Structure formats: structure tokens, C-alpha cells
Amino acid sequence: MKNLPHPIQYQGSKRHLASMILRYFPKQIDCLIEPFAGSAAISIAASAKGLAKHYLINDLNKPLAELLKFIVEEPEELSESYEKLWNVRDDDVIGHYYRVREDFNRTQDPRLFLYLLARCVKGSVRYNTDGLFNQSPDKRRRGTKPDTMRNSIFGVSRLLKGKTVFSSYDYKDVLSMAGTSDLVYMDPPYQG
């Protein structure tokens, strides 16, 4: 499952473990529910294998949940937005990152969040006590190239479009939505 698309290189993602995790899934799933979706690696892998009819992707981090929805439902707009941010002709690429981060913290725009996730240190999401994204840029690389990002975005969109619901609820509310033919994959975030 190494060739699956993954636009979000997220620290703690299960993309490399997905094939092993999926071995434990039942064959017939009505809805795969991920209360702590993160990069949605398990839903992406399960969809590639045709394991569920529907998907519920949830993450309490609302900009992340909105970004996942954007990836699936608006791949062209998101790809173009990412390419524009990535291609900004600015001699100060680090300063550009900080300006995008400031704009994101003000607007919570998921298009900006994709750029930050692709450029930040180790794909690691960090917030300060005021709830503002405060991760630094990786100074060794510029992030995912636009063509690679476009292919990943469209790949995920093809896998999940038309069969996925996105939310940003408390996990207890998401669990209350599960039916008897659904599977809940819980990979709770760890506490640092």
C-alpha cells in the first residue's frame, strides 16, 4: 500500500502501517468511522481496498477536518491554491512561511493549512496555549512539489468522493452515530 496518495504528511500518520491494520478489518463494512482521523490514512487505505461502502472522517482539529473535506470535494481548487502558495517568488521563503502561518491563524483557511503542513518541521502539528498554530518551517526543504501534491489530492478525491462525510465533533458524539454494521477505527491522539 506504499503507492497510495497522501497529501498530508502528518506526524503519527498510519500510512505505513495501514496494510497491517486492515488485515484485522471485517470483509463487509457499511461505514468506516474514524473519530481521530488525522491524515485519514486508514480511510484512504480501506477505500483503496474497497472495504467499506461509506466513510465518516472526523477530527476535533476543525481546520484539519475541513482540509480533508477540501481534498475530497474540491481537488482542483485546492491544488491550484497550493501551487500558488508554493510558487510565490519571494527571496525570503522562511518569511513567506511565517506570513502564511499568520494568515492561517487569523482565518483558519484549510488551503493555507495544507501549505503549512507540507512545509513545517516533520509534518508535526503544534499549537500554542492560545490555540494558534506555531510550528516552525523546515529550513532544509520547501515541501511537497505542486505536481506531486496535485496527484495526491486527486488520488484521495477519487477514492473518497461521494461516499464520505466529514465532521469535527467530540469523539463521543461520533461514536453515538455508529450502527451495528459499521466499524470504528480508534487511534486516539497521544498526550505529550
Side-chain angles (χ1 to χ4, degrees):
M1 306 210 74
K2 289 183 178 185
N3 294 327
L4 286 178
H6 286 285
I8 302 172
Q9 305 299 314
Y10 202 75
Q11 187 177 53
S13 170
K14 298 299 179 267
R15 67 183 177 274
H16 297 299
L17 299 172
S19 59
M20 184 172 62
I21 292 167
L22 295 182
R23 290 183 207 152
Y24 296 95
F25 280 27
K27 298 291 182 218
Q28 298 294 322
I29 302 167
D30 186 37
C31 185
L32 174 58
I33 300 170
E34 278 197 87
F36 308 100
S39 69
I42 298 301
S43 289
I44 293 167
S47 183
K49 293 260 188 196
L51 296 180
K53 295 176 192 169
H54 307 282
Y55 299 85
L56 193 163
I57 294 175
N58 182 80
D59 201 284
L60 192 57
N61 182 334
K62 190 173 182 177
L64 180 59
E66 289 176 352
L67 173 57
L68 292 164
K69 183 177 181 179
F70 226 118
I71 288 168
V72 172
E73 296 182 2
E74 301 290 338
E76 184 64 37
E77 182 182 341
L78 185 60
S79 296
E80 288 175 8
S81 172
Y82 179 81
E83 186 171 5
K84 284 178 187 172
L85 284 169
W86 198 87
N87 283 326
V88 165
R89 299 286 180 224
D90 191 336
D91 292 335
D92 182 14
V93 293
I94 301 303
H96 173 66
Y97 174 91
Y98 285 118
R99 286 187 291 279
V100 171
R101 189 178 80 176
E102 185 178 306
D103 288 346
F104 169 73
N105 281 328
R106 192 178 75 266
T107 66
Q108 299 293 290
D109 186 333
R111 292 170 294 196
L112 301 177
F113 198 34
L114 178 62
Y115 175 78
L116 294 173
L117 291 173
R119 285 277 291 121
C120 72
V121 174
K122 298 181 181 179
S124 179
V125 176
R126 298 287 183 261
Y127 293 94
N128 65 21
T129 55
D130 294 325
L132 300 176
F133 183 79
N134 69 348
Q135 184 59 294
S136 300
D138 188 331
K139 295 176 182 172
R140 298 167 296 156
R141 60 182 185 81
R142 287 196 60 205
T144 307
K145 292 181 180 177
D147 288 343
T148 302
M149 182 63 81
R150 175 179 289 276
N151 290 337
S152 289
I153 289 169
F154 273 90
V156 169
S157 181
R158 281 189 293 277
L159 288 171
L160 295 172
K161 193 168 193 170
K163 54 187 169 182
T164 307
V165 172
F166 300 88
S167 60
S168 184
Y169 302 134
D170 183 274
Y171 78 95
K172 294 173 201 154
D173 296 327
V174 175
L175 293 178
S176 70
M177 298 176 195
T180 57
S181 58
D182 299 339
L183 176 69
V184 177
Y185 174 76
M186 291 189 56
D187 180 23
Y190 58 88
Q191 296 212 341

